[in-house]
């Protein structure tokens, strides 16, 4: 049984890093058929593959077009897993309202989309600003929807500073809702330094978000 699971995780990882869309998508279907938790399939399979692609890209062993294709493959496999993610943590009552986006200058949105899926599944109404979201849009969306909490994702060392701009813009607009930050370039120390709250992954983001709005268990 464990070896079946390991084989599926390896196929998920290899489908992404080997740029084989059918392998990754088929492995996602197999993961569901085998009763695997979709979050585990993403974290221990697909995400391992895409991070390896990122390392190869950094070492100039892969081209940007391959990076783009690997990201597309990952997204299409996530689409297969998404309904089960939602079903597993489905909750009817709205626990809170959240504005979420990838900061200006940054177009990475796979992780942010996972965070949105998990938040929605655990009862949050989410206003998704998408990627490369202007700092002002965090403020205007928070006012419009009466957000209880905001979230800003950033994947690059060159765009983490923009999270600080979001903190400042919220403060200038007298918005007191907490800001959750995450993404590969973000650390707990950075979050503390800018007066935000850190979350390491999509699962943890839902736990943190609930705690921050006083709905944590
Ligand atoms: Co690019 N990229 N990329 N990229 N990319 C990185 C980030 C990089 C580290 C790769 C590398 O060189 N090793 C590097 C940044 C280096 C740096 O920091 N300075 C890099 C670069 C340089 C670039 C370009 C500049 C490349 C170029 O064009 N020359 C360009 C950026 C353009 C721009 O943004 N202005 C670029 C483009 C792209 C693609 C479009 C091809 C694609 C993104 C597609 C997409 O997102 N739709 C891409 C990808 C795929 C990556 C890597 C390989 C993988 C990112 C990913 O999807 N991971 C990445 C390498 C890496 O991260 N190690 C890399 C999987 C995902 C599930 O994890 O996003 O970390 P992650 O999300 C996690 C947690 O971080 C957390 O939860 C998620 C799930 O558990 N989380 C949050 C995320 N957001 C959160 C928010 C929260 C809480 C938790 O609260 C609000």
């Amino acid at each position: 049984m464990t070896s079946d699971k390991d084989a599926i995780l390896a196929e998920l990882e290899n489908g992404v890093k080997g740029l084989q869309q059918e392998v990754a998508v088929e492995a996602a279907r197999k993961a569901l058929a085998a009763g695997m938790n979709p979050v585990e399939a993403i974290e221990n399979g697909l995400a391992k593959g895409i991070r390896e692609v990122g390392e190869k890209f950094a070492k100039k062993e892969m081209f940007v077009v391959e990076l783009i294709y690997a990201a597309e493959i990952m997204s299409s496999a996530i689409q297969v897993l998404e309904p089960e993610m939602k079903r597993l943590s489905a909750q009817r009552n709205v626990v809170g309202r959240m504005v979420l986006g990838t900061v200006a200058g940054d177009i990475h949105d796979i992780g942010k989309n996972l965070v949105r899926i998990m938040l929605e599944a655990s009862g949050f109404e989410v206003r998704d600003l998408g990627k490369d979201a202007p700092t002002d849009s965090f403020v205007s969306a928070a006012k419009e929807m009466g957000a209880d909490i905001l979230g800003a994702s950033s994947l690059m060392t060159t765009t983490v500073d923009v999270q600080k701009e979001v903190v400042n813009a919220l403060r200038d607009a007298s918005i007191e809702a907490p800001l959750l930050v995450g993404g590969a370039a973000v650390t707990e120390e950075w979050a503390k330094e800018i007066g935000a709250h850190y979350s390491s992954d999509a699962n943890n983001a839902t736990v943190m978000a609930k705690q921050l709005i006083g709905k944590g268990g």
Side-chain angles (χ1 to χ4, degrees):
M1 187 64 187
T2 309
S3 63
D4 280 358
K5 188 174 135 184
D6 289 346
I8 294 170
L9 289 174
E11 281 175 30
L12 288 162
E13 180 182 340
N14 292 335
V16 174
K17 71 183 185 198
L19 305 180
Q20 292 177 289
Q21 184 154 27
E22 252 324 295
V23 171
V25 169
E26 190 48 37
R29 291 192 192 109
K30 282 187 200 169
L32 294 182
M36 195 185 293
N37 185 313
V39 176
E40 187 187 356
I42 292 171
E43 289 294 344
N44 298 336
L46 298 169
K48 277 173 84 177
I50 196 88
R51 288 183 186 127
E52 212 169 306
V53 168
E55 282 161 26
K56 287 195 171 160
F57 171 72
K59 287 191 257 167
K60 301 197 181 350
E61 289 170 11
M62 275 181 123
F63 296 108
V64 73
V65 289
E66 293 173 305
L67 185 65
I68 293 169
Y69 188 42
E72 278 174 21
I73 293 173
M74 173 145 181
S75 296
S76 53
I78 288 173
Q79 268 177 30
V80 174
L81 299 167
E82 183 175 342
E84 184 63 3
M85 281 169 82
K86 289 188 166 161
R87 194 189 67 79
L88 281 178
S89 38
Q91 182 167 327
R92 283 204 192 95
N93 302 335
V94 173
V95 298
R97 294 181 183 77
M98 182 166 192
V99 169
L100 176 69
T102 301
V103 298
D106 197 324
I107 62 165
H108 297 88
D109 66 356
I110 295 178
K112 184 267 299 167
N113 291 341
L114 285 177
V115 170
R116 189 200 65 232
I117 293 168
M118 295 297 289
L119 282 162
E120 285 178 342
S122 44
F124 279 84
E125 184 187 328
V126 180
R127 174 84 60 90
D128 188 348
L129 304 175
K131 57 195 172 186
D132 190 15
T135 297
D136 285 356
S137 65
F138 285 85
V139 173
S140 50
K143 281 184 181 163
E144 272 168 36
M145 87 177 307
D148 303 301
I149 180 167
L150 295 95
S153 181
S154 174
L155 267 280
M156 298 190 292
T157 50
T158 46
T159 53
V160 280
D161 279 346
V162 185
Q163 291 179 334
K164 190 173 182 182
E165 290 172 20
V166 174
V167 171
N168 292 340
L170 292 172
R171 193 196 50 225
D172 292 349
S174 304
I175 293 171
E176 289 176 6
L179 177 71
L180 194 62
V181 292
V186 183
T187 62
E188 180 123 42
E189 292 69 37
W190 169 251
K192 274 192 190 135
E193 188 183 323
I194 64 172
H197 304 269
Y198 174 68
S199 173
S200 57
D201 57 59
N203 249 337
N204 177 257
T206 64
V207 176
M208 285 286 294
K210 282 185 180 169
Q211 279 173 4
L212 287 168
I213 64 166
K215 302 274 174 72

